Amino acid sequence: MFVIFRCRRCGRFLYARRDAKSRICTRCGFKNDLRKVLVVAKADDERTAGEIVRRLQGGGTDFRSLSNTD
């Protein structure tokens, strides 16, 4: 089981295993204590959790695709 939540510092959506104690944000580096975050969704597997995060983020990421080399 995975939980989806927002970073308490920058607001980026992230996911983590439900039994994890913390998760470091990939954008700002903040260590989120999972006992203090507001869970916005749950997912049964990692793939589904990633899809939910992408949908909540608006479909984009901060990274360029490797196929876009121009």
Side-chain angles (χ1 to χ4, degrees), residues 14-53:
L14 302 164
Y15 67 89
R17 288 191 177 274
R18 185 178 63 178
D19 58 348
K21 293 182 180 180
S22 63
R23 171 77 155 85
I24 295 175
C25 179
T26 55
R27 178 183 286 164
C28 70
F30 182 74
K31 185 176 181 180
N32 289 279
D33 182 344
L34 296 183
R35 295 172 296 174
K36 297 180 181 180
V37 299
L38 176 64
V39 174
V40 296
K42 294 180 181 178
D44 291 329
D45 58 25
E46 189 172 7
R47 173 175 277 180
T48 304
E51 290 172 1
I52 293 169
V53 167

Side-chain angles (χ1 to χ4, degrees), residues 5-14 25 28 30 32 37:
F5 61 96
R6 292 191 89 151
C7 174
R8 294 182 68 214
R9 181 184 287 164
C10 71
R12 180 175 183 82
F13 287 99
L14 302 164
C25 179
C28 70
F30 182 74
N32 289 279
V37 299

